[in-house]
Amino acid sequence: MRLPLRILSDLHLGHKASRIEDVENLRPLFRGAGTVIFNGDTWEELSTHWRARSEVMLGQLLAILEEEGCDVVCLPGNHDPGWEGAGFIELAGGRIVVTHGDALLRDGAPWKREMLAGQNVVAALWKDHPAAETDPVARHQLAREIAKRLPNLGHPSGKSLFTRALDAVFPPRRAIAMLRAWMTQGRLGARFCERYFPRAELIIVGHFHCHGIRKSGGRTVINTGSFVVPGPAGWVEWDGKTLSAGRIREKSSGETLLGKAKLIRKFI
């Protein structure tokens, strides 16, 4: 992978609630990057409703990246588990881990209605994948299997904040699970590293759609947010020695720009 690495997540191309209407508006986010890493949920691979449009938008995205001279790495998420590879990337000799984030949770996305009703399926899959308890490659493979077996069957009807909020609170168990995941993602990230990546000091995730930097157990968890309402989305950059992060500015025209970079840590 050519440096610098620029990390984004949760574009959800083609999703009803995604703020990305025209992929061309993303072009400024790629300029100057050697490699762009899309950390899961880039497109709607599993959706029968949106897959066709999403696939077209994905093709447009890859064409823009080629025009900008960027290498591309796509990590799997629970919406697009079909990407090849281990499912994660280690940087700085294992001190930094990049993974979508669904593997931090035993059932991937406990707020999904399908997951609330499918705990027996999750239990059976864990029983069939005993190596996932300790091996990171097996754990990420299991996360993919859970996503494939319990894909989203229902879909939001709009992208307004009111519509999204209404969708989130029914049933109430869904809202409770969502809030719990948001509030505990720092602790979840630290525990995940302790079990699967003990050398990791910092983990970069998306998945939770909750942008921010959290610390727990001596480790740092960076969430790059999402392009789905309400957002916001963020970015992370690794130049081989230092890690920086910032928010993505989204103009009313749809154009996106990298916000001011904040130095997170030097790895020497």
Side-chain angles (χ1 to χ4, degrees):
M1 295 183 291
R2 292 186 298 121
L3 298 175
L5 308 180
R6 194 164 297 158
I7 303 167
L8 311 170
S9 75
D10 295 84
L11 277 65
H12 287 280
L13 296 175
H15 191 291
K16 182 73 172 180
S18 176
R19 296 188 299 276
I20 301 170
E21 295 290 346
D22 184 352
V23 180
E24 180 63 33
N25 287 327
L26 300 176
R27 188 184 289 269
L29 303 182
F30 311 138
R31 290 175 181 147
T35 303
V36 179
I37 298 174
F38 294 100
N39 193 15
D41 287 2
T42 306
W43 73 298
E44 297 298 320
E45 176 189 352
L46 301 180
S47 173
T48 56
H49 289 71
W50 303 323
R51 178 177 170 120
R53 178 170 183 257
S54 183
E55 192 166 14
V56 170
M57 295 179 77
L58 177 63
Q60 294 170 341
L61 177 73
L62 296 177
I64 290 171
L65 287 155
E66 184 176 5
E67 290 169 4
E68 292 296 324
C70 301
D71 292 342
V72 182
V73 175
C74 291
L75 295 178
N78 55 305
H79 285 241
D80 53 358
W83 297 108
E84 296 181 356
F88 60 88
I89 293 173
E90 294 180 90
L91 304 172
R95 296 169 69 187
I96 302 170
V97 173
V98 185
T99 180
H100 177 60
D102 54 328
L104 274 61
L105 295 148
R106 194 169 181 85
D107 48 5
W111 51 83
K112 283 175 53 175
R113 296 177 180 87
E114 297 79 9
M115 209 64 70
L116 292 170
Q119 287 301 305
N120 59 327
V121 176
V122 174
L125 286 170
W126 271 97
K127 186 176 180 180
D128 291 341
H129 295 75
E133 294 285 1
T134 55
D135 180 70
V137 175
R139 177 67 191 96
H140 283 82
Q141 182 58 43
L142 174 56
R144 288 163 155 167
E145 292 301 320
I146 292 172
K148 291 175 183 177
R149 287 287 299 276
L150 293 167
N152 290 70
L153 299 177
H155 302 279
S157 58
K159 67 173 64 178
S160 72
L161 185 58
F162 175 78
T163 302
R164 294 291 291 158
L166 194 63
D167 179 63
V169 298
F170 293 105
R173 282 194 304 155
R174 170 174 158 81
I176 292 169
M178 196 177 296
L179 289 170
R180 183 183 295 117
W182 287 346
M183 294 173 64
T184 62
Q185 60 180 300
R187 187 163 69 248
L188 288 168
R191 288 178 178 175
F192 182 78
C193 289
E194 184 178 352
R195 173 176 288 196
Y196 296 103
F197 300 98
R199 292 179 299 168
E201 302 167 18
L202 188 148
I203 183 169
I204 301 167
V205 300
H207 186 54
F208 298 88
H209 293 198
C210 191
H211 178 266
I213 300 173
R214 298 158 182 87
K215 295 188 177 183
S216 179
R219 291 182 167 95
T220 301
V221 180
I222 300 179
N223 190 303
T224 46
S226 83
F227 287 84
V228 169
V229 174
W235 59 280
V236 172
E237 185 160 296
W238 168 248
D239 66 5
K241 294 182 179 180
T242 61
L243 194 78
S244 303
R247 284 179 60 165
I248 292 171
R249 294 167 50 204
E250 299 179 42
K251 295 185 176 182
S252 58
S253 62
E255 184 183 11
T256 57
L257 299 169
L258 297 176
K260 184 178 180 181
K262 175 183 178 182
L263 176 64
I264 303 301
R265 189 182 302 179
K266 291 185 179 180
F267 291 80
I268 300 174

